Amino acid sequence: MHIAVLTIFPAMFDLFWEHGIVRRAVAGGLVQPQAVDIRAFTRDRHQVTDDRPYGGGCGMVMKPEPLARAIESVRDQFNDGGFTVLMTPRGDQLSQQTAAGLARQQGLIFICGRYEGVDARIVHRHVDYELSIGDYVLSGGELAAMVAMDAVIRLIPGVLGGAQSAQRDSFSDGLLEHEHYTRPRVFEGDAVPEILLSGDHQAIERWRRKMSLIETLMRRPDLLENRALDERETEILRQWSQMLERVLKHQAAHRPDSLPGRQ
Ligand code: ADE
């Protein structure tokens, strides 16, 4: 997949392409990355990429002309044009599903905004999708683009060793992942759950599914609302909810202020 990132700080991406799974994807020819310097598409002596906002106000806005030229130039190189994503806190929030959708594109063009944002005409005329990585404001879209690209690249078929590892990731089936353990068997008095040492692969798989479900119930119950549960999962959740209720009742009954004679 061709991936181009349009930025005024292309050097920020040098390290990103050179490490871990991303590096492997690039080395294996599964990803052809390109950091494109927007400044190279300016036509003035000072290579200006920003300007004051119409209507006044503080902050600067990214000028449309260099950006438009940069986008056109990349599209010309990509056979299919390339799906164009603007990184902005105003965009749809990145999810595993969005990452999977982007991983199915033939080519991707990420635009990294700086300053107060990019001229709206770029969004109207050149952007296919606006993407945020969360409800907070970064100084620019570069780190956000790296987050999005990392999530996307690991989902491109062939990038991860076993086809299974991406399927097992948290969120891939709507649940959080179970805990992981490696050696030593006991660390600071904390032992690895016995079942993982049993060699019974079916029992281990059942335990992992159950722990995934319980982790999700405890940490992110909202995820369960959007997910169809099978019979076994419903039964596990019923048992855990009952147990949780009993614990909470017990705690409430033993609070100091619940003893007779106390306020
Ligand atoms: N640029 C600045 N903040 C951002 C965010 N939260 N997500 C995407 N791009 C951004």
Side-chain angles (χ1 to χ4, degrees), residues 107-164:
L108 291 173
I109 303 171
F110 289 96
I111 304 171
C112 306
R114 280 268 150 182
Y115 320 113
E116 292 306 301
V118 307
D119 187 288
R121 274 82 52 94
I122 288 294
V123 184
H124 302 165
R125 311 180 67 81
H126 295 280
V127 168
D128 296 312
Y129 191 60
E130 293 177 80
L131 183 62
S132 163
I133 61 162
D135 289 342
Y136 41 85
V137 179
L138 303 167
S139 314
E142 283 78 7
L143 290 173
M146 288 185 214
V147 169
M149 287 191 290
D150 192 294
V152 168
I153 288 172
R154 53 188 288 109
L155 296 179
I156 296 172
V159 167
L160 291 185
Q164 272 210 313

Side-chain angles (χ1 to χ4, degrees), residues 192-245:
V192 173
E194 277 301 319
I195 184 116
L196 298 178
L197 312 170
S198 68
D200 181 343
H201 296 296
Q202 277 185 353
I204 291 171
E205 195 48 40
R206 278 199 303 275
W207 180 86
R208 285 180 167 160
R209 295 287 309 166
K210 182 167 143 182
M211 294 317 281
S212 272
L213 204 57
I214 293 167
E215 292 284 353
T216 311
L217 174 67
M218 293 197 302
R219 291 162 190 265
R220 293 288 306 278
D222 57 300
L223 294 177
L224 296 174
E225 283 164 22
N226 309 320
R227 191 175 180 280
L229 299 169
D230 65 26
E231 249 173 61
R232 190 171 165 273
E233 291 172 332
T234 310
E235 179 54 23
I236 292 170
L237 282 183
R238 198 182 59 77
Q239 285 174 7
W240 267 77
S241 306
Q242 273 181 356
M243 189 139 64
L244 213 57
E245 215 173 296

